[in-house]
Protein backbone atom coordinates (compact mmCIF):
# COMPACT_ATOMS: atom_id res chain seq x y z
CA UNK A 1 0.00 0.00 0.00
CA UNK A 2 1.42 3.42 -0.91
CA UNK A 3 1.55 6.34 1.50
CA UNK A 4 -1.31 8.02 -0.41
CA UNK A 5 -3.49 4.93 0.04
CA UNK A 6 -2.57 4.72 3.72
CA UNK A 7 -3.77 8.30 4.20
CA UNK A 8 -7.14 7.52 2.59
CA UNK A 9 -7.74 4.37 4.64
CA UNK A 10 -6.18 5.61 7.89
CA UNK A 11 -7.97 6.04 11.23
CA UNK A 12 -8.88 9.69 10.55
CA UNK A 13 -10.69 8.77 7.32
CA UNK A 14 -13.48 11.21 6.50
CA UNK A 15 -16.50 9.69 4.74
CA UNK A 16 -17.42 12.93 2.97
CA UNK A 17 -13.85 13.24 1.68
CA UNK A 18 -13.99 9.61 0.53
CA UNK A 19 -17.20 10.21 -1.41
CA UNK A 20 -15.64 13.27 -3.06
CA UNK A 21 -12.62 11.16 -4.08
CA UNK A 22 -14.99 8.61 -5.65
CA UNK A 23 -16.65 11.40 -7.64
CA UNK A 24 -13.21 12.66 -8.69
CA UNK A 25 -12.43 9.14 -9.98
CA UNK A 26 -15.55 9.14 -12.16
CA UNK A 27 -18.22 7.49 -10.02
CA UNK A 28 -21.77 8.43 -11.00
CA UNK A 29 -24.27 8.42 -8.12
CA UNK A 30 -27.98 7.61 -8.10
CA UNK A 31 -30.37 7.70 -5.17
CA UNK A 32 -32.98 4.91 -5.48
CA UNK A 33 -36.27 5.75 -3.78
CA UNK A 34 -39.29 3.82 -2.61
CA UNK A 35 -42.84 4.45 -3.83
CA UNK A 36 -43.25 7.48 -1.56
CA UNK A 37 -40.01 9.10 -2.71
CA UNK A 38 -37.95 8.15 0.37
CA UNK A 39 -34.28 7.64 -0.49
CA UNK A 40 -33.35 4.00 0.16
CA UNK A 41 -29.62 4.16 -0.56
CA UNK A 42 -26.86 6.11 -2.26
CA UNK A 43 -25.35 4.07 -5.09
CA UNK A 44 -22.16 4.97 -6.93
CA UNK A 45 -21.13 3.20 -10.14
CA UNK A 46 -18.01 3.50 -12.26
CA UNK A 47 -17.37 1.55 -15.46
CA UNK A 48 -13.70 1.39 -16.48
CA UNK A 49 -11.11 -0.97 -17.91
CA UNK A 50 -13.67 -3.76 -18.55
CA UNK A 51 -14.90 -3.80 -14.95
CA UNK A 52 -17.76 -2.18 -13.05
CA UNK A 53 -17.20 -0.82 -9.54
CA UNK A 54 -20.32 -0.39 -7.39
CA UNK A 55 -20.60 1.24 -3.96
CA UNK A 56 -23.95 1.11 -2.13
CA UNK A 57 -24.42 3.14 1.05
CA UNK A 58 -27.52 2.02 2.95
CA UNK A 59 -26.38 3.72 6.16
CA UNK A 60 -23.06 4.94 7.57
CA UNK A 61 -22.53 1.53 9.17
CA UNK A 62 -23.97 -0.49 6.24
CA UNK A 63 -21.95 -0.08 3.06
CA UNK A 64 -21.22 -2.66 0.38
CA UNK A 65 -18.76 -2.34 -2.49
CA UNK A 66 -18.09 -4.73 -5.35
CA UNK A 67 -15.92 -4.96 -8.46
CA UNK A 68 -17.59 -6.94 -11.23
CA UNK A 69 -16.61 -8.12 -14.69
CA UNK A 70 -17.85 -5.70 -17.36
CA UNK A 71 -20.26 -8.21 -18.85
CA UNK A 72 -22.15 -8.81 -15.57
CA UNK A 73 -25.89 -8.67 -16.30
CA UNK A 74 -27.17 -7.36 -12.95
CA UNK A 75 -24.86 -5.09 -10.96
CA UNK A 76 -27.14 -5.16 -7.90
CA UNK A 77 -27.31 -8.98 -7.71
CA UNK A 78 -24.21 -10.14 -9.60
CA UNK A 79 -23.53 -13.75 -10.45
CA UNK A 80 -19.76 -13.06 -10.46
CA UNK A 81 -17.69 -10.67 -8.36
CA UNK A 82 -13.98 -9.94 -8.60
CA UNK A 83 -13.82 -8.24 -5.19
CA UNK A 84 -16.32 -7.43 -2.44
CA UNK A 85 -16.33 -5.66 0.91
CA UNK A 86 -19.05 -4.84 3.43
CA UNK A 87 -18.98 -2.84 6.65
CA UNK A 88 -18.79 0.72 7.93
CA UNK A 89 -18.47 3.56 5.42
CA UNK A 90 -15.00 4.66 6.51
CA UNK A 91 -13.61 1.12 6.18
CA UNK A 92 -15.28 0.18 2.88
CA UNK A 93 -14.66 3.51 1.13
CA UNK A 94 -11.01 3.33 2.16
CA UNK A 95 -10.77 -0.17 0.67
CA UNK A 96 -12.44 0.94 -2.58
CA UNK A 97 -10.05 3.85 -2.94
CA UNK A 98 -7.11 1.48 -2.36
CA UNK A 99 -8.17 -0.88 -5.19
CA UNK A 100 -5.82 -0.90 -8.17
CA UNK A 101 -7.12 1.17 -11.07
CA UNK A 102 -6.31 -1.52 -13.63
CA UNK A 103 -7.87 -4.99 -13.31
CA UNK A 104 -5.76 -8.11 -13.92
CA UNK A 105 -4.83 -8.73 -17.56
CA UNK A 106 -7.15 -11.77 -17.67
CA UNK A 107 -10.15 -9.41 -17.74
CA UNK A 108 -9.11 -7.33 -20.73
CA UNK A 109 -11.12 -9.48 -23.15
CA UNK A 110 -14.37 -8.85 -21.28
CA UNK A 111 -16.88 -6.41 -22.72
CA UNK A 112 -18.11 -3.44 -20.71
CA UNK A 113 -20.99 -2.06 -22.67
CA UNK A 114 -24.37 -0.86 -21.60
CA UNK A 115 -26.06 2.21 -20.22
CA UNK A 116 -28.10 3.57 -17.33
CA UNK A 117 -31.78 4.01 -18.12
CA UNK A 118 -33.94 6.32 -16.00
CA UNK A 119 -37.05 4.81 -14.45
CA UNK A 120 -40.01 5.82 -12.36
CA UNK A 121 -39.56 7.47 -8.97
CA UNK A 122 -35.97 8.56 -9.64
CA UNK A 123 -34.74 4.98 -9.98
CA UNK A 124 -32.23 3.99 -12.63
CA UNK A 125 -31.39 0.59 -14.08
CA UNK A 126 -28.18 -0.61 -15.77
CA UNK A 127 -28.87 -2.34 -19.08
CA UNK A 128 -25.95 -4.40 -20.35
CA UNK A 129 -25.58 -4.47 -24.14
CA UNK A 130 -25.29 -7.86 -25.81
Amino acid sequence: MSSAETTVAGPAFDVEQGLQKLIDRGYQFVHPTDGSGEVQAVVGVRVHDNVVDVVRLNAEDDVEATRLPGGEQNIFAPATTLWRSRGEASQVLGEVLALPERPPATLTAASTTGCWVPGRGGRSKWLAAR
Side-chain angles (χ1 to χ4, degrees), residues 27-114:
Y27 278 79
Q28 300 280 321
F29 283 86
V30 294
H31 307 88
T33 59
D34 64 14
S36 65
E38 182 84 20
V39 174
Q40 299 298 298
V42 174
V43 181
V45 178
R46 179 175 76 143
V47 179
H48 66 102
D49 297 313
N50 297 321
V51 296
V52 180
D53 292 332
V54 180
V55 177
R56 180 182 174 102
L57 295 96
N58 299 309
E60 197 164 344
D61 62 348
D62 182 13
V63 177
E64 183 172 1
T66 53
R67 177 167 279 181
L68 317 166
E72 184 61 48
Q73 294 297 311
N74 184 344
I75 65 170
F76 296 112
T80 304
T81 60
L82 304 172
W83 174 87
R84 181 178 293 224
S85 181
R86 185 175 198 129
E88 294 192 19
S90 59
Q91 170 215 331
V92 175
L93 294 180
E95 291 174 7
V96 169
L97 290 166
L99 283 172
E101 284 294 305
R102 299 257 184 245
T106 57
L107 296 177
T108 57
S111 172
T112 308
T113 56

Side-chain angles (χ1 to χ4, degrees), residues 7-25:
T7 302
V8 171
F13 183 82
D14 178 77
V15 174
E16 193 171 322
Q17 177 188 13
L19 290 170
Q20 184 59 54
K21 286 182 185 247
L22 291 178
I23 292 168
D24 294 344
R25 287 190 180 182

